[in-house]
Amino acid sequence: MPPTDRIRDHVGQGATTVAAHRARRRLRADRARQLADLLRHQILADGFPSRALPHESTLAADYRASRNTVREALDLLRAEGLVERQPGVGTVIVARKYLHGLDRLMGLAETLHEHGRVTNEVRTVGPAPAPLPVADRLRVPPGTDVLYIERLRRLNGLPLSLDLTYIPLDIGTALLGCDLENRDVFRLLEAVTGQPLSHAEITLEAVSADAHSAAVLQAPRGAAVLMLERLTHLADGRPVDLEFIRFRGDRITMSGLLHRL
């Protein structure tokens, strides 16, 4: 075989070897993500009461994965801030996420009452001109004053969400003298209007924390936060509460029960 042909053959074999190596790495990364998802579910469901994960070899046997795959999965969970490697102990759970149900229309304190006490730091409250998108959603003329409330909400003292709330002023004025620090706005709205809340339209998406949100939530700038936009209606159909809620993504997880009709 001429030298040039031998070189081409060698290069071709090398390219095949590199491609196969990359394919194996991609496959291991895929399996690591799958394992991380399973372990995350176990963590959120309190599947490890001792707060310590089994040894890597045990996880490898239980999930039929290689040790390298297990290590990569644990690295993913460590990057999320859920677990941490402690010398002489192993991998332990260092953070907890709280389940926020999407099955019922409830305020944050109602939703998380089993996990502790929700308190509100009212950062801003008062009348403000409604921006056009807010006016459209609340069905008030653009520029009309609405009640604007900005609250930092904590669970057991830990920052959990930053809530921006807009309420029509004819209803919102009555809230100015209410205990906004310790009561959910939903409860207050029902008391003030004499009507139950009926339903809400929601949109949920992941966004990066801006400088203001990150500082208030004590989260790294650019960290992922869950943005919940919610427009709540009274029993008579009137839109009464438009909220933009930024949840710390490392402390909350959304859950719900969906039915196929």
Side-chain angles (χ1 to χ4, degrees), residues 20-38:
H21 178 67
R22 288 176 176 171
R24 286 195 296 270
R25 289 187 61 183
R26 283 197 299 270
L27 181 59
R28 191 172 69 207
D30 290 341
R31 288 175 176 169
R33 283 192 293 272
Q34 293 167 8
L35 178 54
D37 289 342
L38 295 173

Side-chain angles (χ1 to χ4, degrees), residues 159-192:
L160 190 64
S161 72
L162 178 62
D163 297 14
L164 312 183
T165 304
Y166 300 88
I167 299 171
L169 198 57
D170 62 312
I171 296 174
T173 299
L175 269 61
L176 290 174
C178 296
D179 185 6
L180 294 170
E181 293 186 352
N182 297 292
R183 297 189 63 189
D184 275 339
V185 167
F186 279 2
R187 293 280 193 185
L188 296 174
L189 287 173
E190 290 180 324
V192 165

